[in-house]
């Protein structure tokens, strides 16, 4: 089946630094990827929709200058947490929509394994 | 605005017993409905999905779910649980299978030997 990878799987950084998380679709093209955030023992909250070649669409309450999203190719989206602070510590999960199947009966998305960010 | 409610935060079930996880949703139209499972250290895995047709949907790992429009519910069931079913289960809704999803709060399932 289709695979979505995330890198790194975990990262620890100091407060004030920036961290980049990659989301890759390994065997399919994804014009659309989604970024979710999951706090410990809580549900997933959609942060933004990443569209290849255009600006991301952020959900209400998500700071676009804080969470920079770049979707420069059909297989890669990146989330950069800028000037990270301890409250940004969370589990970040991406999903990717299979471009070939979008809008059709087989339309689906695949989730990455997640990236755990800890900001000290 | 759309919302998904999973009333049970934790459920403990004995191995071999049946399991039912509840999910209620609020949506402007009939949405796509999903159940995902999240095991420690692993990504979300789709168990099953529903949009139209037969309201009883079969999924992977022996799970099934029933859509009840009148109750805005999409409950997940398994007749006999295995220890490997211990995980977090999320109900989700979306406009399309590949579109952004709204997740419920999750239900953590513990399986007793």
């Amino acid at each position: 089946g289709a695979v979505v990878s995330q890198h790194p799987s975990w990262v620890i950084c100091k407060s004030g630094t920036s961290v980049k998380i990659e989301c890759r679709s390994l065997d399919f093209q994804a014009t659309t990827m989604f970024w979710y955030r999951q706090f410990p023992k809580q549900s997933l909250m959609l942060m933004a929709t990443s569209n290849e070649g255009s600006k991301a669409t952020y959900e209400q309450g998500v700071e676009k200058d804080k969470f920079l999203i770049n979707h420069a190719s059909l297989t890669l989206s990146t989330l950069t947490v800028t000037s990270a602070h301890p409250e940004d510590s969370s589990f970040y999960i991406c999903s990717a929509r299979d471009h070939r199947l979008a809008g059709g009966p087989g339309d689906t998305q695949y989730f990455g394994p997640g990236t755990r960010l800890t900001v000290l | 605005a759309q919302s998904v409610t999973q009333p049970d935060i934790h459920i403990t079930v004995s191995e071999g017993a049946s399991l039912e996880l509840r999910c209620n949703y609020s949506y402007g139209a009939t949405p796509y409905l999903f159940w995902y499972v999240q095991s420690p250290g692993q990504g979300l895995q789709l168990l099953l999905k529903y949009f139209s047709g037969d309201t009883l949907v079969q999924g992977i790992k022996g799970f099934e779910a029933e859509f009840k429009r009148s109750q805005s519910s999409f409950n997940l069931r398994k007749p006999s649980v295995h220890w490997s079913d211990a995980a977090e289960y999320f109900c989700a809704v979306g406009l399309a299978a590949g579109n952004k999803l709204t997740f419920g709060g999750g239900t953590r399932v513990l399986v007793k030997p």
Side-chain angles (χ1 to χ4, degrees), chain B residues 2 4 6 14 35 44 50 53 70 88 94-95 98 109 112:
Chain B
Q2 58 268 34
V4 182
Q6 293 180 244
S14 298
W35 275 100
L44 286 169
Y50 172 81
S70 61
E88 185 92 22
L95 278 176
V109 173
K112 295 189 301 183

Side-chain angles (χ1 to χ4, degrees), chain A residues 36 38 43 59 97 107 109, chain B residues 38 97-101 103-104:
Chain A
Y36 295 86
Q38 184 180 28
S43 186
E59 295 299 301
R97 186 180 195 180
D107 191 7
Q109 62 185 290
Chain B
Q38 184 181 39
N99 213 327
K100 61 182 181 180
L101 300 178
F103 285 84

Side-chain angles (χ1 to χ4, degrees), chain B residues 33-45:
Chain B
L33 297 157
F34 308 85
W35 275 100
Y36 286 89
V37 59
Q38 184 181 39
S39 300
Q42 298 186 26
L44 286 169
Q45 182 178 24

Side-chain angles (χ1 to χ4, degrees), chain A residues 32 34 36 38 41-44 46 49 59 91 93 97 105-109 111-113, chain B residues 32 36 38 41-44 46 49 90 96-106 108:
Chain A
T32 303
F34 304 98
Y36 295 86
Q38 184 180 28
K41 298 185 180 181
Q42 294 189 32
S43 186
L44 286 78
L46 179 68
T49 301
E59 295 299 301
F91 195 52
I93 302 173
R97 186 180 195 180
D107 191 7
T108 192
Q109 62 185 290
F111 283 83
Chain B
Y32 279 78
Y36 286 89
Q38 184 181 39
Q42 298 186 26
L44 286 169
L46 178 66
K49 64 183 179 184
F90 292 98
N99 213 327
K100 61 182 181 180
L101 300 178
T102 300
F103 285 84
R108 182 167 297 277

Side-chain angles (χ1 to χ4, degrees), chain A residues 20-25 28-35 49-56 58 68-80:
Chain A
K20 180 184 286 188
I21 301 170
E22 294 184 347
C23 176
R24 292 182 184 273
S25 57
F28 66 97
Q29 294 181 332
T31 52
T32 303
M33 292 185 176
F34 304 98
W35 286 96
T49 301
S50 171
N51 298 298
E52 188 267 338
S54 64
K55 292 183 178 180
Y58 290 82
L68 301 179
I69 291 173
N70 184 275
H71 193 155
S73 80
L74 288 172
T75 59
L76 174 64
S77 176
T78 60
L79 168 68
T80 301

